[in-house]
Every structure is written in structure tokens, then in C-alpha cells.
Amino acid sequence: MKSNETTPLPVVVVDDDQEMLQVYRALLQGHGIGPVLTFDEGEALIPYLRRNEAALVVLDLALPNIGGGELLPRLVEEFPHLPVLIITGLTEVGQAVSCMRAGACDYLLKPIDNALFLAAIERALGPSEDESRLRMRRMPFPDLVTEDRQMLRLMKRAQAVSHSGQPVLITGETGVGKELFAEAVHRCSGKKGSLVTVNVAGLDDAVFSDTLFGHRKGAFTSAQENREGLIRKAAGGTLFLDEIGDLREGAQVKLLRLIQEHEYLPLGCDVAAKTDAGIVVATNRDLKALLEMGKLREDLYYRLSCHRLHIPPLRERQGDIPLLLEHFVTLASRQMGKKRPWYPSGLPRLLQQYHFPGNVRELQAMVYDAVALHEKGPLSLAAFRSNMSTPSGRGLTVEGHEVVTVIFNGFPSIKEAQSHLISEALRMSNGNQGEAASMLGISRQALNNRLRRKSV
């Protein structure tokens, strides 16, 4: 929870019920959220905010003289970066939905559930700067967002092997962050030169040699002048060869010599040049399988396998998904010049059910797309669902009708399917009907109507 040190601006609560104001104050301060300022009517709120800053406004819709529904558009217009949480009774659900469309960050129904209230407050306030820094800025991995034990062990191993002078092999699926680990190995090595990245996929022997080693004037017909290869640019630094699993056989021989002898031959030159560049290679392919198929030299395979860092896919470290979601929402908002939007608490759970074939890169693309399309209210769950490659969320290998019959022990009626979807949405949203309705693609009022019919 937030503390007075991490949230110095007050949380302002507006409610005409003095007893409830005391409850709100005690609840918030008891969980380290404060200071808390209270108003029992709405007329003094805007004059106060014109003179003072606030972290959040908790606004009851039913107020004397000027109601919360009337105050909200004025707050949104004058203080667009100030989150407003609406408190309302069941009879005002339709008005609360209108408030969400007008710019409120969330709404809760009376009687207020303490746990849901505190969760909504935390979402509205967002992560503190200290919390974000502690969990997202782990030097020398400044861009690696993780609290996963496998990843933390891998980071420690990367630091340990960076000084050995031997090549470092980074493996893992597309999008897991192999480039970030390559940058970290270079940073940990203490080398003063640059990190030079080369994607070697599809390069034939000649292009590989010319790109890495360069050539001398006259080495071939179009060689009108000397060319300095990228290995020269990596002097005193690190050469990072990406997609090494696609390297052709002729180029493999030259790479092996570079690793073993620390020397290479520029095209058209008879004298070998020396290099002190460190070597990091990465691939999303199974090198052992390539070796067995005769597509990878055995001597190169064992030279590359000295220090191996295998990065687990995102589906094996689902605890990182909420952290990555927070990180990318903040990053995307900043880069697009937008106010940072909030998102339903059901979104991390929805994402944790997805198998992410594109891993972290796919999650980042989803978030950027959702933030780009966002206008007001919470980030749309539908925007994320539309970018998921399989509707089932985990890429089940059975056919769609088999999944249905397994879940329902036979083909369900529409009523049974509807009841199941509502129950699952409520479970995923921890009973928050607003979030459940958003996940189902219906209004809060429509969900309430269905729940009433179900209970009759």
C-alpha cells in the first residue's frame, strides 16, 4: 500500500454521510494511504482544487445542492490528470456508467466492500515511484522487468560469465528478451568499446565475410575502396551475432576461427587481423537438433555451448505479466504523450491465461495498441482479446467443439453457456461487477439484470 512518503498529495473524499467519511478516513489511513481530506458537500471541492493539488478524488453521486454527476464533467475539464472514483447506490448504476464515459476512473456500488474499495484506490493512484524503481530497475539490467526466480538466477549467471572471455550463447523463443541479455552481458563485462549487433540470418559466406570482416580495395569488381567490417567497430567491445542458428556452413568455419584464434581475414587481405571483441550469439532454434541434422558444425556447437543462458518463455513466468503490463502502460503513455490510463483488475488475470507465442514482445505490442486506441475510462479488455492469437487463451490442442463438450460434459444450452461465462468473469474480476461486465462486453446494468434473473 501507499504511505505518506510515497503519496504526499491528499486523497479527497466527498460524501454527505459524516459517518461514512469517518469510515473512509480510518480505512485509508489504516492501510497507509494518506493524507485524507473530506468534504460533506460538493460546492467547496472545485475551489479547493484550484488552490491545492490532490492525488485522487472519491466522489459520491448523491450529494446535496450540487451532485457528483454534475461535478464530474467540471473536474475532468479543469483537472484532466486528476483521477475520480465514483461511489454510487444500486439505483444510480446507469448514471455511474455515464460517469465512466465522462472520464471517471472507476465506480463502486454501496454498500462498499472494503477490499474492493482499497483495490480501486490503489489502481487509481498507480504504483509509487519507489515501488516501480525497486521492481523494474535492476542494474545492470535497466530494461528487464522481472521478479521471477528463474530470471533472477539467469541475471546473476549472466553477470558471472561476462568476464570469462569465452563466447556466450543466449537461447529462447522469439520475443523473450535475448537482446536485453546481450546488452547486459556487454555492460557487465566492463568493456569500453561498443556493442555491435549483426543479424546473420540468411547471410551467405561472401556477405557474412564482407559484413563482419570488411574488404580491401580491389578485392572484387565493385570494391572501389576499403571497407571496415563490423568486427573492427566492435574493437574493445562486444560483437552480438543474432539468429546464429541460420548461419551457413562456410560462415560457420570463419566464425569458429574468430572465436578460437581471435583473428579474421578481411576480403582481399593475406594478413590476419586480430580482435579483442567479446562474442555473444543468440538463437531461437534448437542447436542440438541442428547438430544432429548436420546443419551445424560439431566443433562450433561445443565452442558456443561454453556459457549458455536459456531465457524461459513468458508463459513459464506468469508472475511477471502484471509487472510488464504496468511497465508498458506507463512507457506507452509517456511515448504517446497521453495521460496514463488505468485498467480493470481482471486484465492481468486475462493475460495470465494466454499462452503468448510472441512472448514479451507480443505483450508490449498489445499494450501499445490498446493505449493508442484509448480515449477515456479504463483500457479496453476487448482491445487485448482481439490481439490474442487464440480465443481459448492457452492454445489448446484439441478442437473447439471438444473443449466445449469437456467443460460442459456435453453440448451446452445458451442459458448454460451464459451462466458459465458470467461466473467465470465474476471469478476473474474478484466479484467486481463493473470489470466482469467489461470482460463480457455488456453494460453493468445488463449484467445486474442477468444476475437478478439467475437468482429468481
Side-chain angles (χ1 to χ4, degrees), residues 14 35 43 72 76 128 172 181 215-216 234 238 242 294 302 337 343 366 403 420 442 451 453:
V14 188
E43 291 180 326
L72 177 66
V76 171
S128 74
F181 269 85
H215 62 251
R216 295 292 176 264
T238 304
D242 202 5
Y302 288 111
Y343 51 82
M366 283 184 181
V403 176
H420 176 77
I442 60 178
L451 289 172
R453 289 197 295 268

Side-chain angles (χ1 to χ4, degrees), residues 321-329 343 347-348 351 363 367 384:
I321 290 178
L323 303 182
L324 289 163
L325 177 61
E326 282 280 345
H327 175 64
F328 289 138
V329 168
Y343 51 82
L347 178 57
L351 295 173
L363 174 57
V367 172
F384 286 87

